[in-house]
Amino acid sequence: MSHPSKQRPHLLETQSFNIASVALRDAWTDFILSRQAMQCSKTTLANYTDTLGKFISWLEGQGMTAPHEVTARHVRQFLALYQDAESTTTHTVASRIRTLLRFWHREGYLPQPVTFDMPKVRQKRLSFLTAEQVQKVLNVCALREKALVLFLVDSGLRRQEVCNLQRADVDLQTGAVRVRQGKGRKDRLAVIGATTRRALLAYLRTCPSQDADAPLFQTESGSPFTPHGLQSLLRRLSKKAGVAFSAHALRRTFATLSLQNGMDLVSLQTILGHSNLETTRRYIQWLDTDLLEAHRHASPVDNLKQSGHSSR
């Protein structure tokens, strides 16, 4: 599915600075500075800059020169450019614009709040790997790749979080993994099991750098993986194994298989680093067989019969 920036580049490409819209640009710059002051991550700042830069350029193209001229109609027109994009993409763009407009109102750039209906996210089953598929991937892995895949599936960490890990962050005796400055700049604890620790220990013996502050997963030169580099490695493994997956799919695999194996939702939420339980629920991919088995155990009618209250 094509991205709206490719469909309508004349509308969404960042335009050159326009003196007439200095008030609009100043208000946007103030918002970005506020996010920096809040110590948002580089990724978050880049996302705000990209999305809202396109929004500001589009507003300038509509003749806007100051924040107080922006209305809900302008927001709806801009979001309409994303009508062919994934619903999650459109929702994310709308969320960033909403954050900007709320900031403008609090700071006095907008005399009245600008409110609009958020685009709905179409619910769909997100991809994850079954236990059999995980094993199929492991069968084509070298030592480093095996340790990496097992680590991702066993810990549920995000791609960036894995790239940030140092050797000292993992206790190979207990399996405790210290995640520093995860999403939202929050520290938390994750865990890996004995099988993953053994694979990790075997890999670490072969690493170019053995220092405590060395990257946990290293390139051939001993440097840390970048998120893009890690993604490329997993893409090659995916093609080799004939199993489509990404780092995020392995994170969902952790969530789904952990729940199947009896982990409670609150513990799962804590390990994943989610701020609310609803986010965790969206990660869990119920299998049809799980639903059938759950109903067999909890069927209201069958349990009535078992209690001696048969239906007539």
Side-chain angles (χ1 to χ4, degrees):
M1 186 172 289
S2 58
H3 190 278
S5 62
K6 296 180 179 179
Q7 294 175 315
R8 302 174 176 84
H10 63 290
L11 289 178
L12 294 181
E13 286 181 355
T14 301
Q15 300 173 1
S16 59
F17 184 77
N18 185 349
I19 296 298
S21 62
V22 62
L24 194 63
R25 289 277 169 170
D26 278 352
W28 175 55
T29 300
D30 194 16
F31 171 79
I32 297 299
L33 290 174
S34 75
R35 302 306 103 170
Q36 292 175 345
M38 291 169 57
Q39 296 186 328
C40 290
S41 68
K42 291 182 179 179
T43 300
T44 299
L45 287 173
N47 289 335
Y48 274 129
T49 301
D50 176 62
T51 301
L52 299 179
K54 292 172 181 175
F55 180 56
I56 296 298
S57 294
W58 181 85
L59 289 173
E60 290 177 331
Q62 305 304 303
M64 301 292 103
T65 61
H68 70 266
E69 299 173 346
V70 180
T71 67
R73 177 174 59 84
H74 294 119
V75 177
R76 289 192 292 269
Q77 287 177 335
F78 181 75
L79 293 178
L81 302 178
Y82 289 80
Q83 61 183 340
D84 295 327
E86 291 285 346
S87 61
T88 51
T89 299
T90 309
H91 189 275
T92 298
V93 171
S95 179
R96 291 169 185 165
I97 293 174
R98 182 177 60 182
T99 301
L100 171 69
L101 296 179
R102 285 176 174 175
F103 170 82
W104 279 356
H105 179 245
R106 288 197 307 270
E107 295 298 314
Y109 293 107
L110 286 171
Q112 299 294 330
V114 175
T115 59
F116 56 93
D117 294 333
M118 290 292 291
K120 293 183 178 180
V121 177
R122 294 185 292 272
Q123 296 297 321
K124 64 178 181 179
R125 290 195 174 190
L126 303 174
S127 62
F128 72 100
L129 272 60
T130 64
E132 292 75 16
Q133 289 174 317
V134 172
Q135 188 58 56
K136 190 174 181 181
V137 173
L138 293 174
N139 289 340
V140 302
C141 286
L143 194 63
R144 179 182 62 178
E145 286 71 31
K146 179 180 179 182
L148 176 60
V149 170
L150 286 174
F151 191 93
L152 286 166
V153 172
D154 211 16
S155 68
L157 264 61
R158 300 175 178 91
R159 182 177 58 182
Q160 182 68 66
E161 292 170 343
V162 172
C163 292
N164 292 344
L165 286 175
Q166 298 177 348
R167 291 173 66 111
D169 293 328
V170 179
D171 187 331
L172 289 172
Q173 292 187 340
T174 65
V177 180
R178 181 177 59 173
V179 183
R180 295 178 294 179
Q181 298 292 288
K183 189 173 182 179
R185 293 188 175 273
K186 298 175 183 176
D187 295 349
R188 71 178 193 280
L189 184 71
V191 185
I192 54 173
T195 301
T196 299
R197 277 179 269 161
R198 291 190 65 197
L200 185 60
L201 182 61
Y203 160 63
L204 290 175
R205 294 194 188 105
T206 70
C207 288
S209 179
Q210 299 289 326
D211 297 332
D213 60 354
L216 183 65
F217 291 100
Q218 305 174 19
T219 64
E220 299 300 332
S221 63
S223 59
F225 272 97
T226 64
H228 178 73
L230 189 60
Q231 179 181 346
S232 297
L233 185 152
L234 295 178
R235 189 181 295 118
R236 291 193 298 271
L237 275 181
S238 175
K239 185 176 180 180
K240 188 175 181 181
V243 178
F245 70 94
S246 63
H248 214 71
L250 296 184
R251 180 167 157 84
R252 289 192 293 266
T253 299
F254 162 78
T256 303
L257 297 185
S258 293
L259 191 70
Q260 284 183 304
N261 292 329
M263 184 179 290
D264 64 275
L265 277 175
V266 175
S267 296
L268 187 59
Q269 174 191 353
T270 302
I271 293 175
L272 287 170
H274 290 155
S275 57
N276 62 76
L277 200 56
E278 184 56 36
T279 305
T280 306
R281 291 181 187 278
R282 290 200 297 269
Y283 265 72
I284 298 163
Q285 305 300 300
W286 287 99
L287 300 175
D288 293 339
T289 52
D290 293 330
L291 293 174
L292 291 172
E293 187 62 26
H295 190 273
R296 289 192 188 100
H297 283 290
S299 168
V301 174
D302 288 348
N303 281 295
L304 283 173
K305 290 179 180 180
Q306 292 171 7
S307 301
H309 302 288
S310 59
S311 59
R312 298 186 180 184

